[in-house]
Amino acid sequence: MDSMYARFKNVVVGAVVGHEVGSNHDYSSKNQKLEPKFPYSRPHFLNLDNEEIHISADHRLRPIIHPSKPLPYHAGYAECINAGKSRWNEDQAVYRQGVLTKPEVQFSIPYTYYGIFDGHAGVGAALCAANQLHHIIHEKLVDSQDDIWADFNGKRSVICKQIDLLVIGALESAFKEMDQLIAEDRTKYLAPGGCTACVALFILGKLYVSNAGDSRAILCNNNNFQPLSMDFTPESERDRIRRLVENQPSLIGDEFTSKEFLQPLKTVDLGKTVMFRDAHMKGWAYKTVEQEDLKSPVIVGHGKRSRLMGTIGVTRGFGDHDLYAIYTKVQIKPLLSCRPEVQVYKINSTDKNEVLVMGTDGLWDVVCCSKAAEIVQKSITSFSEKERYICAATCLVGFARGSLVNDHNWQLKNGKQASCDDISVLVIPTFPYKLEYEELCKKYNQKLSDS
Amino acid sequence: MSYAYLFKYIIIGDTGVGKSCLLLQFTDKRFQPVHDLTIGVEFGARMITIDSKQIKLQIWDTAGQEAFRSITRSYYRGAAGALLVYDITRRETFNHLTTWLDDARQHSNSNMVIMLIGNKSDLESRREVKKEEGEAFAREHGLVFMETSAKTAANVEEAFINTAKEIYEKIQEGVFDINNEANGIKIGPQHSPTNPSLPGATGSSGSQGGGCC
């Protein structure tokens, strides 16, 4: 197992260059003695014992683990560990059910929360998010529950905001607080690295997807799909980062240039005329190459290989408070963001087969959305309601993981490179939440007419 | 709990032959007439004693359904023993044995001990496969054979323990490289210099939160 681990360690592209704990994260020597806030574990709903946690971390076999007890409405989940890029599975997942209670009227609004977190450069941040973010979101929802209640009740006043804005606000402020908590905890606990966060909240007949990072949520229905999140990578966030750098050029230190060139420049290019654009520019123009231009561009590469300051491949999420650009003393955190993009979907489908699929980039690197929809559809038609979503999640992870060929290469069925990353997938039916909402309304109206 | 060796097993065979029920009978000593469909893989474990040595069996119970075949195939690697199960009341599960065996031989290490099991021996009146046929198949392919009943527990202990005995003998003969975990055999923690514990486990005992099995 360990030789496999060592072999893959150097060939797999991680979210952070220079990977493994501590390499470009700065910890003062006193921090080395700190204990983690949350010990390593797998998602609570898997109920794995220590031995099973070790089995799940076998890089040679990469077993696909799924819950042994059903999740709400038979929702599916499956995961498998990376092929050796890190000792432990740096993804985490969580689900919780909660209620917003209105004691005066003895009525409560239920909600269901799912989250996936893809850690990098350590397991700490993802564990903190998986264990704490739902508490923070719950607090934020409780803060707004009178307003949510007023809107549900149709007794909205002039100053009252509508439910969508209240829930979106709760999610946005919770994400900010989560990141701050990780920052504050640095003096008390060991929590290396950072993580992405993709959260789904089912409440009052709607689905709110709150995403920061490159995990992804899509709706699948009969071989069709609809994205409910966007990926935040150096490439997709070029504009946000360019604007930041434009306003505060000191953020990139002396090591980087805010200019973009069509090709990487070398010393021999000095004096040549090349096409460029600077942070303040939308379009492209020509300039003569000076010494200054030979610095590394703040964003390099494309797609999965795009990197911010040559170091990190994801630009939103939690943690990374001590992350420095590789080989430099330039802090990266100021260019990162914990702000989520929240999409709202009113569950209006009359189709029982509609599901929400959430996955970490280990899935999406090798499975496109339409392929995912196809795999889900196949499971839905082949298995009974009780099993179909777990089967769908298992098949999605199985497809992305592929199989080990010649003892060293994980391949998809078509022979292409399979995912060597940690893979986590949730498959959640949406229809029951529509029914749940209709039930709730009925119950409330009954209550009104009774009184 | 400490053990001298850990053997990894895999249970394979068509869907509905009773793989999960055999495991449940072996680990929990109970029978569940209606069992949920196994998806992918489930794990079980039990301690046994051979030659006055504690041996831990770590058992991977796989899905028999075709849909999971490509996933479960990857689990053969690194198993020291396999229980290949068919249902004596369903001829087609016996007919598929060759496919299972080819798959197992192709994807496992060559020393893996394979035990052929004809399950549901309690359903004598519905028998479709004669015991002699099972014996002949086992002889032809160099397997150990046994008929079991997960319901009455007949031969269930024996099936798991005899497989372990075979593996143990092979270790004594030096056939298995016990230092290579890829063979599905692990030397117990007290015998092994390295005992990787989970990160964040306080203390070096690595026994936080319960313990194994």
Side-chain angles (χ1 to χ4, degrees):
Chain A
M1 185 205 297
D2 285 345
S3 65
M4 197 64 157
Y5 166 49
R7 203 184 306 161
F8 271 99
K9 203 171 136 181
N10 297 323
V11 299
V12 176
V13 187
V16 174
V17 175
H19 221 152
E20 283 303 286
V21 180
S23 51
N24 23 320
H25 282 71
D26 180 44
Y27 302 112
S28 61
S29 55
K30 74 172 176 7
N31 283 7
Q32 299 287 357
K33 293 188 191 82
L34 296 177
E35 293 284 331
K37 193 168 186 179
F38 302 97
Y40 177 76
S41 68
R42 297 315 306 149
H44 61 100
F45 53 80
L46 291 177
N47 288 309
L48 302 188
D49 60 31
N50 274 353
E51 169 140 0
E52 286 168 334
I53 289 174
H54 276 280
I55 295 174
S56 76
D58 187 330
H59 298 97
R60 253 176 75 84
L61 294 174
R62 304 179 73 193
I64 298 168
I65 311 292
H66 60 80
S68 44
K69 288 199 190 103
L71 268 49
Y73 303 120
H74 308 296
Y77 171 82
E79 64 166 45
C80 86
I81 196 165
N82 62 77
K85 73 165 190 174
S86 61
R87 178 70 186 89
W88 301 105
N89 187 338
E90 294 179 343
D91 286 358
Q92 289 294 338
V94 62
Y95 91 80
R96 295 283 167 188
Q97 288 178 298
V99 285
L100 303 177
T101 313
K102 195 77 184 154
E104 311 91 273
V105 285
Q106 294 178 340
F107 199 79
S108 47
I109 297 170
Y111 69 83
T112 306
Y113 159 93
Y114 284 94
I116 50 170
F117 309 94
D118 181 352
H120 51 254
V123 296
L127 282 163
C128 286
N131 282 288
Q132 299 174 111
L133 181 58
H134 54 276
H135 293 304
I136 304 175
I137 291 176
H138 181 77
E139 279 169 28
K140 299 290 173 193
L141 288 171
V142 168
D143 287 348
S144 302
Q145 72 176 353
D146 285 348
D147 307 81
I148 293 174
W149 183 254
D151 193 70
F152 172 68
N153 211 2
K155 292 190 180 140
R156 202 188 308 168
S157 67
V158 198
I159 50 153
C160 190
K161 300 289 180 200
Q162 50 146 270
I163 289 177
D164 279 358
L165 292 174
L166 296 167
V167 177
I168 292 172
L171 289 164
E172 288 172 332
S173 58
F175 270 53
K176 179 80 186 165
E177 210 165 295
M178 183 70 243
D179 194 47
Q180 279 170 347
L181 183 60
I182 292 177
E184 286 159 19
D185 276 348
R186 283 182 298 159
T187 54
K188 292 175 254 167
Y189 303 102
L190 181 73
C195 71
T196 69
C198 186
V199 157
L201 187 69
F202 291 92
I203 184 167
L204 293 170
K206 285 184 180 172
L207 161 60
Y208 298 81
V209 174
S210 182
N211 182 54
D214 59 359
S215 294
R216 193 184 296 169
I218 66 170
L219 272 177
C220 292
N221 198 340
N222 295 319
N223 286 315
N224 300 316
F225 72 89
Q226 175 190 338
L228 285 183
S229 70
M230 63 170 279
D231 305 347
F232 294 101
T233 65
E235 194 175 37
S236 73
E237 289 233 89
R238 201 176 281 275
D239 270 354
R240 182 180 66 79
I241 287 160
R242 232 150 38 105
R243 243 172 275 133
L244 265 175
V245 172
E246 186 188 355
N247 294 334
Q248 292 168 269
S250 64
L251 288 180
I252 55 171
D254 280 338
E255 321 280 340
F256 296 93
T257 169
S258 58
K259 293 187 196 74
E260 234 182 288
F261 300 95
L262 291 180
Q263 275 130 21
L265 299 180
K266 301 186 190 84
T267 321
V268 292
D269 296 317
L270 284 170
K272 285 185 189 163
T273 306
V274 296
M275 199 167 254
F276 85 108
R277 65 171 172 182
D278 208 341
H280 63 278
M281 297 164 68
K282 187 180 176 193
W284 293 81
Y286 280 99
K287 81 177 295 279
T288 307
V289 179
E290 299 162 68
Q291 192 65 38
E292 170 81 15
D293 301 328
L294 300 184
K295 292 176 180 174
S296 309
V298 67
I299 294 170
V300 288
H302 291 285
K304 269 320 283 179
R305 289 178 183 269
S306 70
R307 287 281 177 275
L308 179 60
M309 292 183 180
T311 305
I312 186 165
V314 61
T315 47
R316 293 204 193 189
F318 305 135
D320 292 320
H321 296 279
D322 298 297
L323 182 66
Y324 288 81
I326 191 162
Y327 310 129
T328 74
K329 290 273 172 232
V330 184
Q331 266 211 306
I332 294 184
K333 185 66 178 176
L335 294 184
L336 303 177
S337 170
C338 60
R339 211 188 92 203
E341 179 218 30
V342 186
Q343 293 195 23
V344 189
Y345 171 70
K346 187 171 188 296
I347 307 166
N348 49 22
S349 172
T350 49
D351 191 340
K352 287 176 90 169
N353 290 342
E354 184 182 79
V355 294
L356 170 69
V357 177
M358 297 166 74
T360 51
D361 65 338
L363 173 74
W364 304 113
D365 283 353
V366 296
V367 180
C368 64
C369 296
S370 59
K371 183 72 196 173
E374 185 190 316
I375 293 171
V376 167
Q377 183 60 21
K378 207 174 152 193
S379 287
I380 285 178
T381 49
S382 318
F383 295 94
S384 74
E385 192 177 353
K386 215 170 104 185
E387 291 134 359
R388 59 174 56 138
Y389 309 113
I390 288 198
C391 288
T394 302
C395 289
L396 283 167
V397 174
F399 184 92
R401 185 204 65 172
S403 40
L404 190 59
V405 177
N406 300 329
D407 221 31
H408 64 88
N409 196 13
W410 289 90
Q411 281 184 6
L412 302 178
K413 273 192 189 133
N414 62 14
K416 286 188 184 159
Q417 176 73 51
S419 175
C420 290
D421 201 353
D422 300 314
I423 311 168
S424 307
V425 177
L426 278 161
V427 179
I428 306 155
T430 59
F431 191 67
Y433 294 99
K434 186 189 172 189
L435 295 184
E436 193 183 86
Y437 178 58
E438 286 168 357
E439 255 335 281
L440 187 82
C441 293
K442 216 186 287 170
K443 229 166 80 189
Y444 185 65
N445 289 332
Q446 184 66 44
K447 208 174 169 63
L448 283 183
S449 59
D450 284 355
S451 56
Chain B
M1 212 196 298
S2 69
Y3 51 85
Y5 294 106
L6 181 145
F7 296 166
K8 203 187 112 184
Y9 280 14
I10 184 165
I11 313 182
I12 53 174
D14 275 9
T15 185
V17 297
K19 298 182 292 297
S20 302
C21 292
L22 282 167
L23 177 61
L24 191 68
Q25 183 58 261
F26 180 64
T27 57
D28 285 28
K29 300 196 192 307
R30 63 193 172 94
F31 177 69
Q32 210 177 330
V34 184
H35 204 283
D36 288 347
L37 179 76
T38 304
I39 297 158
V41 65
E42 306 267 357
F43 305 106
R46 208 190 107 180
M47 208 68 93
I48 59 167
T49 309
I50 291 176
D51 196 16
S52 67
K53 286 195 170 66
Q54 288 284 94
I55 291 174
K56 180 165 188 163
L57 301 183
Q58 182 194 95
I59 304 150
W60 294 44
D61 171 28
T62 66
Q65 289 238 347
E66 185 63 39
F68 300 110
R69 199 63 63 85
S70 65
I71 292 173
T72 53
R73 210 172 266 144
S74 64
Y75 302 143
Y76 291 110
R77 187 197 325 273
L83 269 56
L84 171 54
V85 188
Y86 68 93
D87 175 352
I88 64 154
T89 71
R90 277 159 60 214
R91 163 73 54 184
E92 77 269 18
T93 66
F94 182 77
N95 293 342
H96 294 154
L97 287 178
T98 327
T99 318
W100 282 109
L101 198 57
D102 287 349
D103 236 17
R105 291 254 155 92
Q106 198 188 331
H107 294 96
S108 67
N109 72 70
S110 52
N111 292 316
M112 183 169 80
V113 173
I114 304 176
M115 163 79 77
L116 178 67
I117 291 176
N119 191 35
K120 308 195 186 177
S121 63
D122 54 292
L123 299 175
E124 195 54 50
S125 60
R126 283 161 51 189
R127 181 188 280 277
E128 285 184 9
V129 185
K130 283 194 216 116
K131 190 173 180 187
E132 293 72 30
E133 293 176 87
E135 284 167 346
F137 187 92
R139 211 176 311 119
E140 190 187 332
H141 295 94
L143 317 174
V144 194
F145 175 68
M146 212 164 247
E147 281 196 349
T148 62
S149 165
K151 189 175 178 182
T152 67
N155 272 342
V156 173
E157 290 273 315
E158 290 79 355
F160 284 89
I161 290 170
N162 290 357
T163 308
K165 281 183 183 158
E166 284 252 342
I167 297 167
Y168 186 74
E169 275 165 29
K170 283 196 173 186
I171 294 173
Q172 306 302 84
E173 290 162 12
V175 176
F176 275 119
D177 173 11
I178 52 170
N179 292 313
N180 183 357
E181 271 186 41
N183 284 328
I185 297 165
K186 210 165 109 182
I187 307 173
Q190 78 274 36
H191 301 261
S192 150
T194 52
N195 178 23
S197 57
L198 304 177
T202 44
S204 56
S205 67
S207 62
Q208 104 271 30
C212 306
C213 61

